[in-house]
Amino acid sequence: MTDRYILYSAVGSGGVAVEAALTLMGQPYELVEAPTYDPHQAAAGDAVLPANPLRQVPALVFPSGEVMTESAAILVRLGELHPEVGLAPAADDPRRSAFLRWMGFVSSAIYAHYWLKDDPMRLVSDPAQAAVVEQRLNDRIAECWGVMEAGTAPGRYILGEAMTVLDLYVTVVSRFRPRRQRFYDVAPRLGEVARRVDADPRLAAFWPQRYPFDAGWDRL
Ligand SMILES: N[C@@H](CCC(=O)N[C@@H](CS)C(=O)NCC(=O)O)C(=O)O
């Protein structure tokens, strides 16, 4: 038992969406940096293994000691546990179906591709094919963002006028390669939401530390 969450995450990873949610919820957490995607820091990446045998971040350890993996599920659960912050529509909220639908969509139709995209040699043996795989996955990811753009009717945020953890999730995952420029092209309204979340004053100190906007960050 501890008195706070322990979050395994890494700079520039999907775990940053969970970090942003905990920050907005005012929940203190201990951060364990586990750069799983960086072959040059293999030992540091292994830090997540006790919490996630898939060796992926994010993984969240609750104060009770219970472990939860899977970014979408973690975000939904945190929203339920801290309803006063209003970052997740409750079970009887008319936005609930769309909320669950698009949380699942970002996780399974988009984020799940990065296991292969980050290292195509996991499934091909010819290095020449790796670039082809990456390009095709970039196309598929762009296509999926287009499907989400067509299937939603964003206001200030994706589900209307109030921010939810879905906005944090899309803001972070849309920063991955093929990066924002392509995302803006295929999903301009979602792009406006992401820029609004980028500029949220409550996260002004947070983003530069956890997902820095280095020069050219929004292009492939
Ligand atoms: N389904 C997982 C995917 C997590 C994931 O792919 N995390 C990346 C970092 S952004 C990772 O740890 N990659 C290392 C690997 O897959 O080997 C989730 O939604 O949490």
Side-chain angles (χ1 to χ4, degrees):
M1 289 281 281
T2 63
D3 62 350
R4 57 179 56 202
Y5 292 104
I6 300 170
L7 179 64
Y8 293 82
S9 184
V11 167
S13 76
V16 172
V18 178
E19 296 176 36
L22 287 167
T23 300
L24 293 182
M25 289 168 181
Q27 292 298 314
Y29 60 94
E30 180 186 329
L31 182 66
V32 181
E33 191 73 14
T36 47
Y37 52 78
D38 185 350
H40 303 296
Q41 300 187 64
D46 286 348
V48 75
L49 279 171
N52 188 355
L54 280 187
R55 200 178 176 281
Q56 290 184 328
V57 291
L60 183 68
V61 184
F62 289 88
S64 65
E66 185 183 1
V67 175
M68 195 170 182
T69 63
E70 297 306 322
S71 52
I74 292 169
L75 288 166
V76 170
R77 185 67 182 131
L78 285 174
E80 287 173 352
L81 290 170
H82 303 288
E84 66 288 350
V85 192
L87 281 174
D92 60 352
D93 188 306
R95 298 171 301 163
R96 180 73 171 180
S97 303
F99 173 64
L100 293 177
R101 174 184 178 190
W102 296 114
M103 289 298 295
F105 184 89
V106 173
S107 169
S108 63
I110 297 174
Y111 194 1
H113 287 308
Y114 287 84
W115 178 80
L116 184 56
K117 218 173 87 55
D118 286 349
D119 183 5
M121 295 303 286
R122 282 173 161 160
L123 288 190
V124 297
S125 47
D126 176 358
Q129 281 300 311
V132 177
V133 168
E134 188 178 3
Q135 187 218 311
R136 289 185 182 169
L137 283 174
N138 280 339
D139 291 346
R140 173 65 176 171
I141 288 164
E143 178 190 358
C144 290
W145 284 128
V147 167
M148 185 167 178
E149 170 83 3
T152 52
R156 282 181 58 75
Y157 296 100
I158 298 171
L159 299 177
E161 295 310 299
M163 182 195 278
T164 69
V165 290
L166 176 62
D167 301 295
L168 298 173
Y169 202 24
V170 168
T171 296
V172 169
V173 176
S174 65
R175 293 182 184 197
F176 299 167
R177 292 170 195 278
R179 302 222 189 270
R180 280 289 185 76
Q181 210 53 61
R182 185 133 185 220
F183 172 71
Y184 296 147
D185 289 345
V186 295
R189 294 171 312 147
L190 293 175
E192 271 180 43
V193 170
R195 286 190 236 241
R196 180 165 292 116
V197 178
D198 289 341
D200 190 303
R202 297 168 298 171
L203 296 170
F206 172 82
W207 292 128
Q209 284 176 13
R210 301 303 297 161
Y211 214 132
F213 300 96
D214 298 329
W217 74 276
D218 56 346
R219 289 164 201 280
L220 192 60

